[in-house]
């Protein structure tokens, strides 16, 4: 839409047990969404928006009422919303797209926006990843394993998943500080991919760091911060692509 801005955000991890005040945290994100509703044309949510989500055939997890309500409002007002599945909110099936009118992406999207080519992904599915991580990712996305998981009562699966998430955040390399260009797998991937395909902007989440880095061939990579430590978002408009911290007045 002419005159409208494109927004990018990632890694809210709503529902995580390690968030000290989950209701106020959710309200803060909703206030940000409310602040962009007048000039947003498209909103890209680049994964791990929820710390855990599993849709059963007739039941979905409780919570996130304010957040889902605001997304529904934005969608009803004509804002195009895209949600990329991350490694925490893997099991989104048809409920959220049907109820909120959003588009779900599982993997990578290469798209043209305003004459520029964007490579969009949560970031867990690209680059060289440890074998254990790749194995678990396949298990979590296997339809038969999902069927077996759904047969377990939610009182056990939800508690297990949230404990797993907390442990993963505490121990995982994906939450370490910036490792430098040579060691960041997303930076290495973007550099290699740019050699074979003209991408102007790579935008990822997943790493829980803030990064805006120029790459060879007039390309850039942006890694969006998680909203627990680094509340941030990117905006693409007539001035280009810019990364912002979210600071409330």
């Amino acid at each position: 839409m002419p005159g409208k801005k494109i927004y990018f955000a990632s890694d809210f991890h709503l529902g995580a047990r390690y968030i000290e005040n989950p209701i106020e945290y959710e309200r803060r994100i909703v206030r940000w969404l409310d602040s962009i509703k007048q000039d947003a044309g498209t909103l890209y949510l680049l994964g791990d928006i929820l710390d855990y989500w599993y849709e059963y055939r007739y039941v979905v997890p409780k919570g996130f009422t304010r957040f889902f309500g605001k997304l529904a409002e934005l969608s009803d007002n004509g804002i195009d919303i895209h949600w990329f599945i991350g490694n925490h909110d893997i099991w989104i099936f048809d409920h959220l797209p049907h109820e909120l009118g959003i588009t779900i992406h599982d993997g990578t999207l290469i798209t043209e926006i305003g004459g520029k080519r964007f490579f969009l992904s949560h970031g867990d599915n690209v680059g060289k990843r440890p074998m254990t991580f790749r194995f678990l990712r396949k298990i979590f996305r296997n339809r038969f394993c999902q069927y077996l998981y759904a047969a377990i009562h939610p009182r056990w699966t939800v508690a297990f998943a949230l404990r797993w998430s907390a442990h993963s955040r505490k121990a995982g390399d994906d939450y370490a500080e910036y490792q430098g260009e040579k060691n960041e797998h997303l930076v290495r991937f973007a550099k290699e991919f740019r050699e074979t395909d003209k991408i102007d902007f790579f935008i990822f989440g997943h790493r829980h760091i803030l990064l805006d880095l120029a790459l060879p061939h007039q390309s850039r990579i942006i890694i969006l911060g998680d909203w627990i430590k680094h509340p941030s978002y990117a905006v693409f408009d007539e001035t280009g692509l810019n990364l912002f911290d979210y600071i409330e007045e």
Side-chain angles (χ1 to χ4, degrees), residues 65-228:
T65 303
R66 297 166 184 82
F67 176 67
F68 287 157
K70 182 56 64 175
L71 287 187
E73 177 189 340
L74 298 182
S75 178
D76 289 346
N77 287 339
I79 297 174
D80 190 19
I81 303 175
H82 296 255
W83 184 320
F84 286 72
I85 290 175
N87 54 299
H88 283 259
D89 49 7
I90 302 169
W91 298 303
I92 296 174
F93 302 124
D94 62 352
H95 175 72
L96 294 185
H98 176 76
E99 291 294 322
L100 304 180
I102 61 180
T103 301
I104 300 296
H105 301 274
D106 186 6
T108 294
L109 174 67
I110 298 177
T111 185
E112 183 171 312
I113 306 173
K116 300 293 185 180
R117 279 173 60 79
F118 284 74
F119 185 107
L120 306 176
S121 170
H122 177 60
D124 65 316
N125 63 317
V126 300
K128 187 175 181 180
R129 311 299 291 125
M131 183 177 295
T132 301
F133 185 92
R134 298 198 307 269
F135 174 75
L136 289 175
R137 193 174 187 276
K138 286 185 177 181
I139 291 294
F140 291 159
R141 282 168 166 75
N142 182 273
R143 296 298 294 177
F144 181 68
C145 292
Q146 291 172 358
Y147 175 79
L148 295 178
Y149 186 82
I152 305 172
H153 196 283
R155 75 172 65 178
W156 306 113
T157 57
V158 173
F160 169 77
L162 292 175
R163 284 197 301 270
W164 180 297
S165 171
H167 174 75
S168 174
R169 180 178 179 86
K170 184 176 180 180
D173 292 337
D174 287 330
Y175 309 116
E177 296 301 319
Y178 178 56
Q179 302 296 299
E181 289 188 43
K182 293 183 179 180
N183 297 319
E184 286 290 342
H185 79 276
L186 292 176
V187 174
R188 293 200 309 269
F189 168 81
K191 287 182 176 181
E192 293 172 2
F193 192 90
R194 184 61 181 82
E195 293 295 329
T196 60
D197 196 334
K198 184 184 184 304
I199 299 294
D200 296 292
F201 302 112
F202 295 85
I203 305 182
F204 300 107
H206 185 57
R207 274 289 285 115
H208 293 233
I209 60 174
L210 275 176
L211 182 67
D212 184 355
L213 181 67
L215 300 175
H217 309 297
Q218 297 181 322
S219 185
R220 277 170 65 196
I221 178 174
I222 283 182
I223 300 179
L224 300 163
D226 73 81
W227 275 61
I228 301 168

